[in-house]
Amino acid sequence: MKRSSKIFLNVAVFIGGSILTLFIFLLPMVTTGLSRVILVSAYLQYLGFIGLYGAVTPFLFALYQTIKFIGYANKNEALSELSVKTLKNIRCCGITISLLYVIAMPLLFLMADGDDAPGIILFALLVIFSTSVSAVFANIFEKRCHSNKLIRC
């Protein structure tokens, strides 16, 4: 694996960790503020917590798997069975996060409609798109390893 690719992955992990830190500390303030502005039932705030914090778990797992993949790449084992297994896990996490946000879209639409803030929907679409793209790239790399017959799975 090229040195520039390794540096890019390390930067991506750092950015992901930073986003996670912001997400953990800012999410309660955002959902509490939205529940005050939008006069919908209070249970929607708890549904928002469950949906958004439910997406954190696969994100953390995918971040951990990315760190493992970087370790394999540093050892020149980027095409081993273990690295393909980590890519499968990253793909599954990306799909899971995308599905959770697709399921939460009606709730986010209600929140955006009540607050007249289309940015909430735009943010959700950005998350869906970015996690789908990461899942697609993990799948492409995995298929490429299989097609080159570099490993046997």
Side-chain angles (χ1 to χ4, degrees):
M1 193 170 211
K2 292 182 181 180
R3 181 170 164 79
S4 61
S5 298
K6 292 177 189 177
I7 291 172
F8 176 74
L9 282 175
N10 285 326
V11 169
V13 168
F14 176 73
I15 291 172
S18 303
I19 290 171
L20 178 68
T21 304
L22 286 173
F23 186 76
I24 288 174
F25 291 115
L26 292 179
L27 181 65
M29 291 186 299
V30 169
T31 54
T32 304
L34 284 175
S35 67
R36 289 182 191 146
V37 171
I38 303 167
L39 299 175
V40 187
S41 300
Y43 71 89
L44 288 180
Q45 177 184 1
Y46 297 113
L47 285 176
F49 275 130
I50 291 169
L52 293 175
Y53 276 126
V56 169
T57 307
F59 178 77
L60 281 174
F61 187 67
L63 197 61
Y64 172 70
Q65 292 296 317
T66 304
I67 292 169
K68 279 177 59 174
F69 183 75
I70 291 171
Y72 294 142
N74 287 335
K75 296 177 187 174
N76 291 327
E77 297 176 1
L79 300 176
S80 67
E81 288 184 37
L82 294 174
S83 65
V84 171
K85 192 180 234 184
T86 59
L87 288 170
K88 284 181 186 179
N89 291 336
I90 292 170
R91 182 188 67 204
C92 290
C93 289
I95 292 170
T96 303
I97 293 169
S98 295
L99 287 176
L100 284 172
Y101 269 84
V102 166
I103 291 169
M105 264 315 222
L107 173 67
L108 294 173
F109 181 76
L110 283 174
M111 293 170 83
D113 191 36
D115 195 29
D116 198 26
I120 296 171
I121 295 176
L122 185 63
F123 173 75
L125 290 174
L126 180 70
V127 170
I128 291 169
F129 177 72
S130 61
T131 55
S132 299
V133 166
S134 67
V136 166
F137 279 123
N139 192 26
I140 288 171
F141 189 71
E142 179 188 340
K143 298 291 182 189
R144 198 162 179 194
C145 290
H146 286 296
S147 69
N148 289 339
K149 298 181 183 175
L150 295 173
I151 59 170
R152 246 182 221 157
C153 291

